[in-house]
Amino acid sequence: MATAGWSTFDHGADIGIRGWGASLEGAFAQAAVALMSLMDGSWERVQPQQSFELQVTSYDVEGLFVAWINGLLAEAELRKMVFCSFVPTIAGTTLSATVWGEPVAVREHEWGVEVKGATFSELFAGRQNDGWAAQCVVDV
Amino acid sequence: MDTSLLRRINAYCWEVPQQGAMRVPGRLFGSGALIRDLDDMVLEQVSQVAALPGIVRASLAMPDAHWGYGFPIGGVAAFDPDRGGIISVGGVGYDISCGVRTLRTGLSKEDVLSVLPELVDLLATVIPAGVGRGGQLRLSGSELDDVLRLGARWAVAQGYGESRDLEYIEDGGCLSGANPEVVSETAKKRQQDQVGTLGSGNHYLEVQYVDAIYDQAAAFAFGLKEGGVVVSLHCGSRALGHQIGTDYIQILGRAAQKRSLHLPSRDLVCAPIDSKEGRDYYQAMACGVNCALANRQVLGHLVRQAFAEMFPLARLELLYDVSHNTCKVEDHDVDGLRKSLYVHRKGATRSFGPGRQELPAAYRGVGQPVLIGGTMGTASYILAGTVESEAMAWGSACHGAGRAMSRKQATKRWKGKSVLHELEHRGILVRAASQRGVAEEAPGAYKDVDEVVESTHHAGLARKVGRLRPLACIKG
């Protein structure tokens, strides 16, 4: 496994997102990139023009990962933004993050799929091999 | 799937024997070929649902079943509140009340073919479709609360459609029990510009013609005749439903942890129907259903406006509107007693037979229309509900073809442009918001809808009435 990275994976009617890194926060941030890659085919061109703070809580670390992905989906829609950079910090079962991106209206997008929500399916968040990983299936 | 694990009841019904933590057996409906092609995960999910508290009679999977989260897509289960029954987010899905609405146009295929390119371009302009595309409506908080309480009745009161429409929507266009107070402000804010939008993924609007009639009496009751043109649209509760799902998967997850409720899968987070969390989720889910019904009512109005521009004399009448992802309180016979059960249908259509009081008077003699969506390039079907389905499956049937291939596999195999060209070569005009979406939704990525419908018909879950062929499609 590379030091940090992301991928998507197959799942029946839906699709999975996975991130990994040297820390749990790094894995969460990479998985968020995987999420953006599903939603916007031109996500690599997104610029960090604006930022905002996001805080989510849950009752355990895996639930926190689901809450993180769902928090990003809600913010993307409410702020009409696409994201490119994520700096989360985790304390227990609370995650606070600075998220960077640009307004949707800035340019043309190669829209991908509309992600409805993160599920508990294929859910994992924790240590894996020499690093950390986080993954789940998202409903599309 | 290894069919030796199953007990064959008949050619179209297979039993998963009760074992381990299962409280009831499982029942899979479908031909031998469909059952053999099923993912093993469907069997696992059907067995896990069978282990949930208060489940009645059996955990069911319709002929279009495939691997979902929690329940399989195509999963049906009823729970008895008097026996500790539960309500589950994974038994409804995130796209609450995703469903199909079909309108008769009164036009013939020949009428429409002469102006099809102009018509599809006009529909693509007036129907907001695709990721991130809002609609024309901007609703205030109190207006949204009205949408959630009143569903399609709100839309009709605002001038979107006709009061006659309400009779031809499940639950008269408004599911009772909705309480906007248990829906988060985030969910409401996300929905402010989403009423009257199609969305993306497998959502679509199709112009179709009737190319076969199988049941003349039911077709007459439904107003269908060969060569007649109908419009079908498939969409759900949009962002509001998604947010209700994401909110309550956490709320019910916490509640399950607090109660030390042992769940066979974390995706099956649930709460007793008779608990605060369970009641709150039901009331929020009912808001999601009403939001979807209002959404399809507004979209139906936009379709009518577009047709009025091209065909000023055409009168589009609502044939019916069905929901796929729901939990509804319904009366059914259980061991000779009439019981109120919480029937979860996740990717399954209600299929009530003749005589049910819930049906419009015009259809009460033939059964409920069951609207089965195909894909952009294959047939769709209209079936009628049966009395047998009520005995076998709480009055349920399939909802579409069902995926045979993952989205990732589909995008590896097909390119959006080539799919569009092939469909156009076959005379089917498609306007799509996303090329990737077209590839993911390529007709070849789905099961054979003809076989799914044959299985549904022969299993007795619903009976075939008519087959529809696509002329044009607006893809979200």
Side-chain angles (χ1 to χ4, degrees), chain A residues 8 10 13 58 77 114 118 139, chain B residues 69 94 200 239 250 406-408:
Chain A
T8 59
D10 273 343
S58 187
E77 197 159 87
E114 183 172 54
D139 185 345
Chain B
Y69 53 90
Y94 282 179
S200 72
Q250 294 284 346
S406 75
R407 290 174 182 278
K408 210 169 167 180

Side-chain angles (χ1 to χ4, degrees), chain B residues 230-243:
Chain B
V230 300
V231 178
S232 295
L233 56 93
H234 176 225
C235 66
S237 50
R238 312 289 298 115
L240 181 116
H242 310 169
Q243 189 65 41

Side-chain angles (χ1 to χ4, degrees), chain A residues 1-7 17-32 60-62 64-65 88-92 95 123-136:
Chain A
M1 185 180 282
T3 307
W6 60 269
S7 67
I17 55 171
R18 177 184 293 140
W20 59 89
S23 64
L24 187 61
E25 286 89 344
F28 274 41
Q30 289 292 330
D60 62 18
V61 170
E62 289 186 331
L64 190 63
F65 179 65
T89 56
I90 296 172
L95 178 151
L123 175 61
F124 175 79
R127 281 200 165 274
Q128 194 171 73
N129 301 328
D130 296 333
W132 295 78
Q135 69 169 50
C136 73

